[in-house]
Amino acid sequence: GNYFDGELPSKVASHKDWHIYWAKLVGNTEVNLNNTKINGPEFTVTDLDGNTITSDELYERNKVTVLYQWGKWCGASLAFNKTLRGMLDTYGSKGFEILGAYSRKYETEQEIKDYITTYIPWKNFLMTYNTTNYIIQFGFSGNLPRLIVIDNNKQVIFQSLTLTEDLNDLPLILYEYFE
């Protein structure tokens, strides 16, 4: 094993940049973080409607929050959107919220807004490949879709950044949290 289990050493967890870089360090690796306590990313973003969203507000008002990187140009994202919509329908009234990080490629901002208004029920902010601040904060890079799931204690309970996680496990994890 990789010996990642329990609490992180205080020198690591209290480092001023740990909350920004942890996801980048483990992304696309075989590191298993299942029993490791990691805080969710701290951030402030502006959604496509112009609202400011902070991680503290988001985590505190929800039992479970999903940070979700996706793009309409990605077939896997479009398929997973249906799964997330079902989860939102089932658990949205119980303290489940999704914040989308839309990965922009070639679309105009208006095309993205029109698509999201028509098809996507959760709030989104716009991410471009040169938006390194968001990529660093969330650890998002590589293949889509990607997500980090955080509980109301600000702890990561699931992430799809490492190669050891399977998006198909998320419904069971949510069931265990809400049922």
Side-chain angles (χ1 to χ4, degrees), residues 17-28 33 38-47 53-56 58-59 65-70 98-103 123-128 131-150 156 158-162:
D17 293 328
W18 173 250
H19 71 279
I20 296 172
Y21 291 108
W22 74 266
K24 201 69 170 157
L25 293 172
V26 301
N28 292 320
L33 298 173
I38 296 175
N39 287 336
E42 297 174 14
F43 60 88
T44 300
V45 296
T46 303
D47 72 15
I53 300 172
T54 68
S55 53
D56 284 342
L58 196 61
Y59 301 156
T65 301
V66 174
L67 304 177
Y68 174 54
Q69 183 189 18
W70 69 285
I98 302 163
L99 176 62
Y102 186 87
S103 291
K123 296 212 174 278
N124 288 270
F125 66 94
L126 188 59
M127 219 175 105
T128 60
T131 313
T132 55
N133 187 37
Y134 291 145
I135 292 171
I136 289 170
Q137 283 181 329
F138 293 113
F140 290 150
S141 64
N143 298 330
L144 300 183
R146 295 214 157 210
L147 51 87
I148 302 172
V149 182
I150 300 105
V156 173
F158 179 83
Q159 51 74 33
S160 68
L161 306 174
T162 63

Side-chain angles (χ1 to χ4, degrees), residues 27-40:
N28 292 320
T29 69
E30 296 289 337
V31 172
N32 183 330
L33 298 173
N34 289 341
N35 296 316
T36 305
K37 294 181 181 178
I38 296 175
N39 287 336

Side-chain angles (χ1 to χ4, degrees), residues 12 35 77 81 116 124 169 171:
V12 173
N35 296 316
S77 291
N81 285 354
I116 287 172
N124 288 270
D169 293 338

Side-chain angles (χ1 to χ4, degrees), residues 9 15 18 24-25 47 62 72 77 87 105 119 122 142 147 168 171:
H15 187 278
W18 173 250
K24 201 69 170 157
L25 293 172
D47 72 15
N62 295 300
K72 73 176 187 150
S77 291
M87 292 177 202
K105 270 204 166 180
Y119 298 107
W122 52 83
L147 51 87
N168 295 321

